[in-house]
mmCIF file of all heavy atoms in Angstrom:
data_model
loop_
_atom_site.group_PDB
_atom_site.id
_atom_site.type_symbol
_atom_site.label_atom_id
_atom_site.label_comp_id
_atom_site.label_asym_id
_atom_site.label_seq_id
_atom_site.Cartn_x
_atom_site.Cartn_y
_atom_site.Cartn_z
ATOM 1 N N ALA A 1 -9.245 -2.807 1.364
ATOM 2 C CA ALA A 1 -10.664 -2.538 1.640
ATOM 3 C C ALA A 1 -10.853 -2.188 3.116
ATOM 4 O O ALA A 1 -11.710 -1.366 3.454
ATOM 5 C CB ALA A 1 -11.526 -3.713 1.237
ATOM 6 N N ASP A 2 -10.063 -2.797 3.984
ATOM 7 C CA ASP A 2 -10.138 -2.489 5.410
ATOM 8 C C ASP A 2 -9.663 -1.078 5.723
ATOM 9 O O ASP A 2 -10.005 -0.520 6.760
ATOM 10 C CB ASP A 2 -9.304 -3.474 6.231
ATOM 11 C CG ASP A 2 -9.964 -4.830 6.358
ATOM 12 O OD1 ASP A 2 -11.175 -4.951 6.085
ATOM 13 O OD2 ASP A 2 -9.247 -5.780 6.727
ATOM 14 N N ARG A 3 -8.872 -0.507 4.834
ATOM 15 C CA ARG A 3 -8.274 0.807 5.099
ATOM 16 C C ARG A 3 -8.869 1.936 4.262
ATOM 17 O O ARG A 3 -8.726 3.103 4.588
ATOM 18 C CB ARG A 3 -6.775 0.749 4.855
ATOM 19 C CG ARG A 3 -6.089 0.072 6.034
ATOM 20 C CD ARG A 3 -4.918 -0.768 5.630
ATOM 21 N NE ARG A 3 -4.401 -1.484 6.778
ATOM 22 C CZ ARG A 3 -4.862 -2.642 7.224
ATOM 23 N NH1 ARG A 3 -5.870 -3.213 6.617
ATOM 24 N NH2 ARG A 3 -4.347 -3.239 8.273
ATOM 25 N N ILE A 4 -9.530 1.581 3.180
ATOM 26 C CA ILE A 4 -10.105 2.577 2.270
ATOM 27 C C ILE A 4 -11.613 2.386 2.273
ATOM 28 O O ILE A 4 -12.135 1.529 1.582
ATOM 29 C CB ILE A 4 -9.538 2.424 0.846
ATOM 30 C CG1 ILE A 4 -8.020 2.547 0.862
ATOM 31 C CG2 ILE A 4 -10.146 3.445 -0.077
ATOM 32 C CD1 ILE A 4 -7.354 2.200 -0.447
ATOM 33 N N ASP A 5 -12.287 3.187 3.041
ATOM 34 C CA ASP A 5 -13.729 3.048 3.188
ATOM 35 C C ASP A 5 -14.487 3.523 1.958
ATOM 36 O O ASP A 5 -14.303 4.650 1.493
ATOM 37 C CB ASP A 5 -14.222 3.839 4.408
ATOM 38 C CG ASP A 5 -13.671 3.290 5.714
ATOM 39 O OD1 ASP A 5 -13.491 2.066 5.798
ATOM 40 O OD2 ASP A 5 -13.436 4.083 6.626
ATOM 41 N N GLY A 6 -15.327 2.645 1.424
ATOM 42 C CA GLY A 6 -16.265 3.011 0.384
ATOM 43 C C GLY A 6 -15.695 3.326 -0.990
ATOM 44 O O GLY A 6 -16.413 3.845 -1.826
ATOM 45 N N THR A 7 -14.453 3.024 -1.235
ATOM 46 C CA THR A 7 -13.861 3.312 -2.532
ATOM 47 C C THR A 7 -13.675 2.014 -3.289
ATOM 48 O O THR A 7 -13.070 1.072 -2.806
ATOM 49 C CB THR A 7 -12.478 3.986 -2.368
ATOM 50 O OG1 THR A 7 -12.647 5.209 -1.645
ATOM 51 C CG2 THR A 7 -11.857 4.295 -3.719
ATOM 52 N N GLU A 8 -14.244 1.981 -4.492
ATOM 53 C CA GLU A 8 -14.054 0.830 -5.368
ATOM 54 C C GLU A 8 -12.662 0.888 -5.959
ATOM 55 O O GLU A 8 -12.292 1.906 -6.560
ATOM 56 C CB GLU A 8 -15.091 0.828 -6.499
ATOM 57 C CG GLU A 8 -16.493 0.550 -6.025
ATOM 58 C CD GLU A 8 -16.731 -0.924 -5.753
ATOM 59 O OE1 GLU A 8 -16.144 -1.770 -6.445
ATOM 60 O OE2 GLU A 8 -17.526 -1.212 -4.842
ATOM 61 N N LEU A 9 -11.905 -0.152 -5.787
ATOM 62 C CA LEU A 9 -10.538 -0.162 -6.328
ATOM 63 C C LEU A 9 -10.485 -0.923 -7.635
ATOM 64 O O LEU A 9 -10.901 -2.078 -7.718
ATOM 65 C CB LEU A 9 -9.575 -0.811 -5.339
ATOM 66 C CG LEU A 9 -9.198 -0.011 -4.109
ATOM 67 C CD1 LEU A 9 -8.245 -0.818 -3.251
ATOM 68 C CD2 LEU A 9 -8.573 1.302 -4.483
ATOM 69 N N GLU A 10 -9.988 -0.261 -8.633
ATOM 70 C CA GLU A 10 -9.661 -0.887 -9.912
ATOM 71 C C GLU A 10 -8.148 -1.057 -9.924
ATOM 72 O O GLU A 10 -7.447 -0.507 -9.092
ATOM 73 C CB GLU A 10 -10.111 0.006 -11.078
ATOM 74 C CG GLU A 10 -11.592 0.300 -11.096
ATOM 75 C CD GLU A 10 -12.453 -0.915 -11.387
ATOM 76 O OE1 GLU A 10 -11.976 -1.821 -12.093
ATOM 77 O OE2 GLU A 10 -13.591 -0.973 -10.903
ATOM 78 N N ASP A 11 -7.641 -1.797 -10.897
ATOM 79 C CA ASP A 11 -6.192 -2.005 -10.961
ATOM 80 C C ASP A 11 -5.401 -0.702 -11.100
ATOM 81 O O ASP A 11 -4.265 -0.628 -10.678
ATOM 82 C CB ASP A 11 -5.829 -2.944 -12.105
ATOM 83 C CG ASP A 11 -6.044 -4.407 -11.753
ATOM 84 O OD1 ASP A 11 -6.447 -4.697 -10.597
ATOM 85 O OD2 ASP A 11 -5.801 -5.271 -12.617
ATOM 86 N N ASP A 12 -6.030 0.316 -11.704
ATOM 87 C CA ASP A 12 -5.295 1.570 -11.936
ATOM 88 C C ASP A 12 -5.731 2.717 -11.026
ATOM 89 O O ASP A 12 -5.331 3.854 -11.216
ATOM 90 C CB ASP A 12 -5.415 1.987 -13.412
ATOM 91 C CG ASP A 12 -6.864 2.226 -13.822
ATOM 92 O OD1 ASP A 12 -7.799 1.864 -13.066
ATOM 93 O OD2 ASP A 12 -7.063 2.778 -14.927
ATOM 94 N N THR A 13 -6.535 2.437 -9.991
ATOM 95 C CA THR A 13 -6.943 3.471 -9.044
ATOM 96 C C THR A 13 -5.742 3.915 -8.216
ATOM 97 O O THR A 13 -5.130 3.109 -7.554
ATOM 98 C CB THR A 13 -8.024 2.943 -8.082
ATOM 99 O OG1 THR A 13 -9.133 2.467 -8.830
ATOM 100 C CG2 THR A 13 -8.472 4.022 -7.108
ATOM 101 N N PRO A 14 -5.377 5.210 -8.299
ATOM 102 C CA PRO A 14 -4.259 5.680 -7.473
ATOM 103 C C PRO A 14 -4.619 5.622 -5.990
ATOM 104 O O PRO A 14 -5.662 6.150 -5.598
ATOM 105 C CB PRO A 14 -4.057 7.135 -7.917
ATOM 106 C CG PRO A 14 -4.950 7.355 -9.075
ATOM 107 C CD PRO A 14 -5.940 6.265 -9.106
ATOM 108 N N ILE A 15 -3.829 4.958 -5.213
ATOM 109 C CA ILE A 15 -4.169 4.833 -3.791
ATOM 110 C C ILE A 15 -3.355 5.776 -2.904
ATOM 111 O O ILE A 15 -3.859 6.212 -1.884
ATOM 112 C CB ILE A 15 -4.054 3.374 -3.292
ATOM 113 C CG1 ILE A 15 -2.661 2.813 -3.533
ATOM 114 C CG2 ILE A 15 -5.108 2.500 -3.946
ATOM 115 C CD1 ILE A 15 -2.432 1.445 -2.936
ATOM 116 N N PHE A 16 -2.146 6.073 -3.293
ATOM 117 C CA PHE A 16 -1.328 6.959 -2.476
ATOM 118 C C PHE A 16 -1.384 8.402 -2.997
ATOM 119 O O PHE A 16 -1.672 9.312 -2.237
ATOM 120 C CB PHE A 16 0.121 6.460 -2.418
ATOM 121 C CG PHE A 16 0.984 7.227 -1.464
ATOM 122 C CD1 PHE A 16 0.841 7.068 -0.094
ATOM 123 C CD2 PHE A 16 1.932 8.112 -1.923
ATOM 124 C CE1 PHE A 16 1.613 7.786 0.796
ATOM 125 C CE2 PHE A 16 2.716 8.830 -1.036
ATOM 126 C CZ PHE A 16 2.555 8.677 0.320
ATOM 127 N N SER A 17 -1.137 8.588 -4.271
ATOM 128 C CA SER A 17 -1.101 9.942 -4.834
ATOM 129 C C SER A 17 -2.462 10.624 -4.764
ATOM 130 O O SER A 17 -2.541 11.839 -4.773
ATOM 131 C CB SER A 17 -0.570 9.952 -6.251
ATOM 132 O OG SER A 17 -1.449 9.237 -7.119
ATOM 133 N N SER A 18 -3.545 9.850 -4.647
ATOM 134 C CA SER A 18 -4.888 10.433 -4.542
ATOM 135 C C SER A 18 -5.284 10.713 -3.090
ATOM 136 O O SER A 18 -6.306 11.292 -2.830
ATOM 137 C CB SER A 18 -5.916 9.500 -5.162
ATOM 138 O OG SER A 18 -6.015 8.311 -4.380
ATOM 139 N N GLY A 19 -4.462 10.242 -2.156
ATOM 140 C CA GLY A 19 -4.741 10.462 -0.743
ATOM 141 C C GLY A 19 -5.607 9.403 -0.089
ATOM 142 O O GLY A 19 -6.022 9.553 1.051
ATOM 143 N N LEU A 20 -5.885 8.302 -0.812
ATOM 144 C CA LEU A 20 -6.682 7.239 -0.201
ATOM 145 C C LEU A 20 -5.962 6.592 0.987
ATOM 146 O O LEU A 20 -6.589 6.167 1.938
ATOM 147 C CB LEU A 20 -7.045 6.167 -1.239
ATOM 148 C CG LEU A 20 -8.053 6.587 -2.302
ATOM 149 C CD1 LEU A 20 -8.218 5.490 -3.347
ATOM 150 C CD2 LEU A 20 -9.394 6.933 -1.669
ATOM 151 N N ILE A 21 -4.635 6.510 0.881
ATOM 152 C CA ILE A 21 -3.841 6.072 2.021
ATOM 153 C C ILE A 21 -2.735 7.104 2.225
ATOM 154 O O ILE A 21 -2.324 7.804 1.300
ATOM 155 C CB ILE A 21 -3.250 4.651 1.857
ATOM 156 C CG1 ILE A 21 -2.256 4.572 0.705
ATOM 157 C CG2 ILE A 21 -4.341 3.604 1.709
ATOM 158 C CD1 ILE A 21 -1.510 3.253 0.651
ATOM 159 N N ASP A 22 -2.258 7.191 3.471
ATOM 160 C CA ASP A 22 -1.196 8.154 3.767
ATOM 161 C C ASP A 22 0.126 7.412 3.995
ATOM 162 O O ASP A 22 0.203 6.203 3.835
ATOM 163 C CB ASP A 22 -1.579 9.022 4.963
ATOM 164 C CG ASP A 22 -1.812 8.242 6.235
ATOM 165 O OD1 ASP A 22 -1.303 7.101 6.368
ATOM 166 O OD2 ASP A 22 -2.490 8.767 7.127
ATOM 167 N N SER A 23 1.129 8.155 4.391
ATOM 168 C CA SER A 23 2.458 7.560 4.541
ATOM 169 C C SER A 23 2.497 6.509 5.645
ATOM 170 O O SER A 23 3.233 5.524 5.542
ATOM 171 C CB SER A 23 3.513 8.640 4.782
ATOM 172 O OG SER A 23 3.173 9.404 5.922
ATOM 173 N N PHE A 24 1.699 6.661 6.695
ATOM 174 C CA PHE A 24 1.660 5.657 7.747
ATOM 175 C C PHE A 24 1.026 4.369 7.214
ATOM 176 O O PHE A 24 1.500 3.277 7.511
ATOM 177 C CB PHE A 24 0.882 6.162 8.969
ATOM 178 C CG PHE A 24 1.549 7.310 9.647
ATOM 179 C CD1 PHE A 24 1.038 8.591 9.546
ATOM 180 C CD2 PHE A 24 2.716 7.124 10.375
ATOM 181 C CE1 PHE A 24 1.666 9.656 10.168
ATOM 182 C CE2 PHE A 24 3.350 8.181 11.001
ATOM 183 C CZ PHE A 24 2.828 9.457 10.914
ATOM 184 N N ASP A 25 -0.041 4.523 6.435
ATOM 185 C CA ASP A 25 -0.672 3.355 5.820
ATOM 186 C C ASP A 25 0.280 2.675 4.846
ATOM 187 O O ASP A 25 0.279 1.456 4.701
ATOM 188 C CB ASP A 25 -1.956 3.751 5.068
ATOM 189 C CG ASP A 25 -3.045 4.233 5.988
ATOM 190 O OD1 ASP A 25 -3.181 3.698 7.113
ATOM 191 O OD2 ASP A 25 -3.794 5.161 5.591
ATOM 192 N N MET A 26 1.095 3.470 4.155
ATOM 193 C CA MET A 26 2.042 2.913 3.199
ATOM 194 C C MET A 26 3.058 2.018 3.895
ATOM 195 O O MET A 26 3.386 0.940 3.396
ATOM 196 C CB MET A 26 2.764 4.018 2.418
ATOM 197 C CG MET A 26 3.724 3.500 1.382
ATOM 198 S SD MET A 26 2.958 2.538 0.054
ATOM 199 C CE MET A 26 2.474 3.852 -1.031
ATOM 200 N N VAL A 27 3.527 2.441 5.035
ATOM 201 C CA VAL A 27 4.468 1.608 5.805
ATOM 202 C C VAL A 27 3.807 0.281 6.161
ATOM 203 O O VAL A 27 4.396 -0.790 5.982
ATOM 204 C CB VAL A 27 4.947 2.343 7.076
ATOM 205 C CG1 VAL A 27 5.749 1.422 7.979
ATOM 206 C CG2 VAL A 27 5.767 3.572 6.710
ATOM 207 N N ASP A 28 2.563 0.337 6.631
ATOM 208 C CA ASP A 28 1.832 -0.897 6.977
ATOM 209 C C ASP A 28 1.633 -1.764 5.741
ATOM 210 O O ASP A 28 1.738 -2.993 5.812
ATOM 211 C CB ASP A 28 0.489 -0.562 7.613
ATOM 212 C CG ASP A 28 0.616 -0.003 9.007
ATOM 213 O OD1 ASP A 28 1.670 -0.224 9.657
ATOM 214 O OD2 ASP A 28 -0.332 0.674 9.458
ATOM 215 N N LEU A 29 1.317 -1.125 4.614
ATOM 216 C CA LEU A 29 1.116 -1.860 3.363
ATOM 217 C C LEU A 29 2.397 -2.589 2.946
ATOM 218 O O LEU A 29 2.348 -3.768 2.574
ATOM 219 C CB LEU A 29 0.675 -0.897 2.258
ATOM 220 C CG LEU A 29 0.534 -1.473 0.875
ATOM 221 C CD1 LEU A 29 -0.518 -2.577 0.824
ATOM 222 C CD2 LEU A 29 0.177 -0.357 -0.132
ATOM 223 N N VAL A 30 3.512 -1.914 3.033
ATOM 224 C CA VAL A 30 4.793 -2.539 2.680
ATOM 225 C C VAL A 30 5.071 -3.738 3.591
ATOM 226 O O VAL A 30 5.470 -4.812 3.115
ATOM 227 C CB VAL A 30 5.954 -1.508 2.740
ATOM 228 C CG1 VAL A 30 7.312 -2.198 2.662
ATOM 229 C CG2 VAL A 30 5.795 -0.484 1.622
ATOM 230 N N LEU A 31 4.844 -3.585 4.875
ATOM 231 C CA LEU A 31 5.051 -4.688 5.812
ATOM 232 C C LEU A 31 4.121 -5.865 5.493
ATOM 233 O O LEU A 31 4.517 -7.033 5.541
ATOM 234 C CB LEU A 31 4.847 -4.223 7.251
ATOM 235 C CG LEU A 31 5.879 -3.223 7.759
ATOM 236 C CD1 LEU A 31 5.471 -2.692 9.137
ATOM 237 C CD2 LEU A 31 7.269 -3.832 7.806
ATOM 238 N N PHE A 32 2.870 -5.559 5.151
ATOM 239 C CA PHE A 32 1.905 -6.588 4.783
ATOM 240 C C PHE A 32 2.394 -7.350 3.530
ATOM 241 O O PHE A 32 2.380 -8.577 3.498
ATOM 242 C CB PHE A 32 0.538 -5.951 4.511
ATOM 243 C CG PHE A 32 -0.466 -6.894 3.913
ATOM 244 C CD1 PHE A 32 -1.143 -7.796 4.714
ATOM 245 C CD2 PHE A 32 -0.723 -6.882 2.552
ATOM 246 C CE1 PHE A 32 -2.069 -8.678 4.155
ATOM 247 C CE2 PHE A 32 -1.637 -7.745 1.996
ATOM 248 C CZ PHE A 32 -2.309 -8.648 2.792
ATOM 249 N N ILE A 33 2.822 -6.624 2.527
ATOM 250 C CA ILE A 33 3.282 -7.255 1.285
ATOM 251 C C ILE A 33 4.517 -8.089 1.523
ATOM 252 O O ILE A 33 4.635 -9.207 1.018
ATOM 253 C CB ILE A 33 3.537 -6.193 0.195
ATOM 254 C CG1 ILE A 33 2.213 -5.539 -0.199
ATOM 255 C CG2 ILE A 33 4.240 -6.799 -1.023
ATOM 256 C CD1 ILE A 33 2.353 -4.290 -1.031
ATOM 257 N N GLU A 34 5.462 -7.567 2.307
ATOM 258 C CA GLU A 34 6.671 -8.349 2.623
ATOM 259 C C GLU A 34 6.295 -9.674 3.277
ATOM 260 O O GLU A 34 6.830 -10.724 2.927
ATOM 261 C CB GLU A 34 7.589 -7.549 3.543
ATOM 262 C CG GLU A 34 8.351 -6.457 2.833
ATOM 263 C CD GLU A 34 9.315 -5.727 3.737
ATOM 264 O OE1 GLU A 34 9.018 -5.577 4.958
ATOM 265 O OE2 GLU A 34 10.366 -5.322 3.251
ATOM 266 N N LYS A 35 5.369 -9.611 4.226
ATOM 267 C CA LYS A 35 4.962 -10.830 4.939
ATOM 268 C C LYS A 35 4.231 -11.795 4.013
ATOM 269 O O LYS A 35 4.577 -12.983 3.944
ATOM 270 C CB LYS A 35 4.059 -10.446 6.112
ATOM 271 C CG LYS A 35 3.565 -11.639 6.886
ATOM 272 C CD LYS A 35 2.645 -11.226 8.010
ATOM 273 C CE LYS A 35 2.088 -12.476 8.675
ATOM 274 N NZ LYS A 35 0.800 -12.226 9.283
ATOM 275 N N GLU A 36 3.239 -11.302 3.294
ATOM 276 C CA GLU A 36 2.400 -12.171 2.462
ATOM 277 C C GLU A 36 3.148 -12.740 1.259
ATOM 278 O O GLU A 36 2.907 -13.862 0.862
ATOM 279 C CB GLU A 36 1.152 -11.428 1.986
ATOM 280 C CG GLU A 36 0.170 -11.125 3.088
ATOM 281 C CD GLU A 36 -0.385 -12.371 3.745
ATOM 282 O OE1 GLU A 36 -0.704 -13.361 3.050
ATOM 283 O OE2 GLU A 36 -0.503 -12.358 5.000
ATOM 284 N N ALA A 37 4.040 -11.937 0.669
ATOM 285 C CA ALA A 37 4.757 -12.373 -0.532
ATOM 286 C C ALA A 37 6.115 -12.983 -0.199
ATOM 287 O O ALA A 37 6.779 -13.519 -1.086
ATOM 288 C CB ALA A 37 4.941 -11.208 -1.483
ATOM 289 N N GLY A 38 6.515 -12.896 1.066
ATOM 290 C CA GLY A 38 7.814 -13.439 1.448
ATOM 291 C C GLY A 38 8.967 -12.668 0.850
ATOM 292 O O GLY A 38 9.996 -13.235 0.493
ATOM 293 N N LEU A 39 8.796 -11.357 0.737
ATOM 294 C CA LEU A 39 9.828 -10.501 0.151
ATOM 295 C C LEU A 39 10.443 -9.602 1.204
ATOM 296 O O LEU A 39 9.803 -9.286 2.214
ATOM 297 C CB LEU A 39 9.211 -9.600 -0.923
ATOM 298 C CG LEU A 39 8.558 -10.260 -2.115
ATOM 299 C CD1 LEU A 39 7.906 -9.204 -2.997
ATOM 300 C CD2 LEU A 39 9.572 -11.058 -2.905
ATOM 301 N N GLU A 40 11.646 -9.161 0.952
ATOM 302 C CA GLU A 40 12.268 -8.116 1.756
ATOM 303 C C GLU A 40 12.596 -6.979 0.799
ATOM 304 O O GLU A 40 13.374 -7.147 -0.123
ATOM 305 C CB GLU A 40 13.542 -8.630 2.431
ATOM 306 C CG GLU A 40 14.114 -7.614 3.383
ATOM 307 C CD GLU A 40 15.302 -8.167 4.144
ATOM 308 O OE1 GLU A 40 15.252 -9.345 4.571
ATOM 309 O OE2 GLU A 40 16.280 -7.422 4.311
ATOM 310 N N MET A 41 11.944 -5.853 1.011
ATOM 311 C CA MET A 41 12.109 -4.733 0.080
ATOM 312 C C MET A 41 13.142 -3.741 0.578
ATOM 313 O O MET A 41 13.310 -3.560 1.786
ATOM 314 C CB MET A 41 10.771 -4.028 -0.098
ATOM 315 C CG MET A 41 9.785 -4.854 -0.874
ATOM 316 S SD MET A 41 8.255 -3.978 -1.100
ATOM 317 C CE MET A 41 7.199 -4.981 -0.069
ATOM 318 N N GLN A 42 13.778 -3.103 -0.373
ATOM 319 C CA GLN A 42 14.722 -2.034 -0.106
ATOM 320 C C GLN A 42 13.968 -0.703 -0.180
ATOM 321 O O GLN A 42 12.998 -0.583 -0.931
ATOM 322 C CB GLN A 42 15.857 -2.040 -1.109
ATOM 323 C CG GLN A 42 16.622 -3.360 -1.170
ATOM 324 C CD GLN A 42 17.265 -3.689 0.178
ATOM 325 O OE1 GLN A 42 17.916 -2.855 0.779
ATOM 326 N NE2 GLN A 42 17.074 -4.913 0.623
ATOM 327 N N ALA A 43 14.411 0.279 0.552
ATOM 328 C CA ALA A 43 13.753 1.581 0.566
ATOM 329 C C ALA A 43 13.625 2.173 -0.836
ATOM 330 O O ALA A 43 12.613 2.777 -1.168
ATOM 331 C CB ALA A 43 14.490 2.540 1.483
ATOM 332 N N ALA A 44 14.624 1.970 -1.673
ATOM 333 C CA ALA A 44 14.619 2.531 -3.032
ATOM 334 C C ALA A 44 13.515 1.916 -3.903
ATOM 335 O O ALA A 44 13.117 2.505 -4.908
ATOM 336 C CB ALA A 44 15.966 2.320 -3.685
ATOM 337 N N GLU A 45 12.989 0.766 -3.530
ATOM 338 C CA GLU A 45 11.944 0.103 -4.301
ATOM 339 C C GLU A 45 10.551 0.644 -3.954
ATOM 340 O O GLU A 45 9.600 0.423 -4.691
ATOM 341 C CB GLU A 45 11.952 -1.396 -4.059
ATOM 342 C CG GLU A 45 13.201 -2.076 -4.537
ATOM 343 C CD GLU A 45 13.254 -3.535 -4.152
ATOM 344 O OE1 GLU A 45 13.023 -3.864 -2.968
ATOM 345 O OE2 GLU A 45 13.499 -4.345 -5.070
ATOM 346 N N ILE A 46 10.435 1.336 -2.847
ATOM 347 C CA ILE A 46 9.142 1.805 -2.364
ATOM 348 C C ILE A 46 8.873 3.177 -2.995
ATOM 349 O O ILE A 46 9.169 4.213 -2.409
ATOM 350 C CB ILE A 46 9.092 1.833 -0.832
ATOM 351 C CG1 ILE A 46 9.428 0.445 -0.309
ATOM 352 C CG2 ILE A 46 7.725 2.279 -0.343
ATOM 353 C CD1 ILE A 46 9.711 0.386 1.163
ATOM 354 N N THR A 47 8.345 3.137 -4.215
ATOM 355 C CA THR A 47 8.104 4.338 -4.996
ATOM 356 C C THR A 47 6.671 4.326 -5.510
ATOM 357 O O THR A 47 5.995 3.298 -5.480
ATOM 358 C CB THR A 47 9.052 4.396 -6.210
ATOM 359 O OG1 THR A 47 8.733 3.287 -7.065
ATOM 360 C CG2 THR A 47 10.508 4.340 -5.791
ATOM 361 N N LEU A 48 6.208 5.470 -5.992
ATOM 362 C CA LEU A 48 4.884 5.544 -6.619
ATOM 363 C C LEU A 48 4.826 4.635 -7.835
ATOM 364 O O LEU A 48 3.789 4.058 -8.129
ATOM 365 C CB LEU A 48 4.537 6.970 -7.006
ATOM 366 C CG LEU A 48 4.186 7.907 -5.858
ATOM 367 C CD1 LEU A 48 3.886 9.308 -6.396
ATOM 368 C CD2 LEU A 48 3.029 7.388 -5.041
#
């Protein structure tokens, strides 16, 4: 919500393929998820 102004997000709302976030935002999103979920992701897992 802090990054996508005025867009209601449903579980199936495309956020990357629709252009709501870009590749820079995606990197930040991955870092956020790794931190919050305590995960370390591999590059191959970061897919649409």
Side-chain angles (χ1 to χ4, degrees):
D2 285 344
R3 282 144 185 86
I4 303 171
D5 295 326
T7 301
E8 290 283 327
L9 286 180
E10 301 292 331
D11 280 359
D12 61 348
T13 303
I15 57 174
F16 187 73
S17 64
S18 67
L20 290 174
I21 64 172
D22 60 22
S23 57
F24 295 108
D25 293 324
M26 181 63 85
V27 171
D28 289 338
L29 175 61
V30 168
L31 293 173
F32 171 80
I33 294 167
E34 284 183 327
K35 179 182 175 207
E36 291 298 318
L39 299 174
E40 186 174 319
M41 290 181 249
Q42 303 299 312
E45 296 174 310
I46 304 168
T47 64
L48 287 179

